[in-house]
Amino acid sequence: RDQLITIYLAAFAFIVPAVLDPQKNISPIVSSLIFLALGVIGYLFSLIIVRYRKYKESYWICCRTLSVMMTMEKQAWTKENIQAIFYNCLYKKISKLMKNGKLQKWLFVRKNLFSGESLYLVINAFISSSFTGIGAGMLANSLWPILAHFNIIIGVVAGVLLFGTTLWNY
């Protein structure tokens, strides 16, 4: 997981200066497509981060389940008992985020706002949505140069939409 951001930043560090170098004489359409590709790659990395978060949460619930199981006699280790223990461990974790039988999503977000995974995702989402916004704005400007202000809006909207989508998936 941590190596993903390294790969992504390395791509950024080598590709972006090459694209922006005026001596390379890269067409604006190609430059915009490169930025869009970096944005898409970043979004795919964010999906990996989300998957890692799900895995980690499941892993911790399983560890708690095993801890409880170690206090039981081995004869009591039936499928039903293990599933009940798993459910109880899961419920114990989630019950702190419940109110009137409903999950309080904003409470969940607030409690996890400054976790390592959350900050990692926000950084990745910001970088990838920025690339997407820059790429979309550059592409729109290449296709419709007469609409310069509108093209900036296209880029900003594309970046904000990707950022919001990434955070929503999380």
Side-chain angles (χ1 to χ4, degrees):
R1 174 196 69 138
D2 294 338
Q3 292 176 353
L4 290 177
I5 194 76
T6 305
I7 293 167
Y8 194 51
L9 291 176
F12 168 75
F14 290 110
I15 294 173
V16 172
V19 169
L20 298 177
D21 187 2
Q23 295 177 350
K24 300 278 187 202
N25 202 17
I26 298 174
S27 77
I29 291 178
V30 172
S31 296
S32 63
L33 292 175
I34 290 171
F35 276 106
L36 284 171
L38 285 172
V40 168
I41 291 168
Y43 180 72
L44 294 174
F45 281 157
S46 72
L47 294 177
I48 293 171
I49 295 167
V50 171
R51 180 72 179 137
Y52 174 78
R53 171 73 183 217
K54 290 176 184 177
Y55 163 78
K56 182 182 159 216
E57 291 300 321
S58 296
Y59 175 80
W60 283 115
I61 299 297
C62 288
C63 288
R64 289 183 181 136
T65 301
L66 289 172
S67 293
V68 172
M69 286 175 56
M70 292 299 128
T71 65
M72 298 170 43
E73 295 291 328
K74 287 191 179 186
Q75 294 81 9
W77 290 5
T78 64
K79 179 181 177 182
E80 294 77 22
N81 284 346
I82 294 170
Q83 287 175 336
I85 294 167
F86 183 85
Y87 176 80
N88 287 334
C89 291
L90 184 62
Y91 182 77
K92 186 175 180 180
K93 179 167 179 66
I94 200 82
S95 65
K96 297 171 189 171
L97 304 171
M98 302 287 277
K99 186 175 182 181
N100 297 330
K102 292 185 180 181
L103 177 65
Q104 301 297 305
K105 293 178 184 174
W106 290 111
L107 179 60
F108 175 77
V109 169
R110 194 184 76 198
K111 286 189 176 279
N112 290 295
L113 193 58
F114 293 106
S115 71
E117 290 90 6
S118 297
L119 293 174
Y120 183 62
L121 179 84
V122 168
I123 290 168
N124 186 41
F126 179 75
I127 292 170
S128 62
S129 62
S130 297
F131 285 151
T132 301
I134 291 168
M138 287 174 65
L139 184 61
N141 198 48
S142 297
L143 299 175
W144 307 291
I146 221 164
L147 304 170
H149 295 309
F150 183 69
N151 297 334
I152 292 170
I153 293 170
I154 289 173
V156 169
V157 167
V160 168
L161 282 175
L162 184 66
F163 188 77
T165 302
T166 305
L167 294 183
W168 182 259
N169 284 335
Y170 188 64

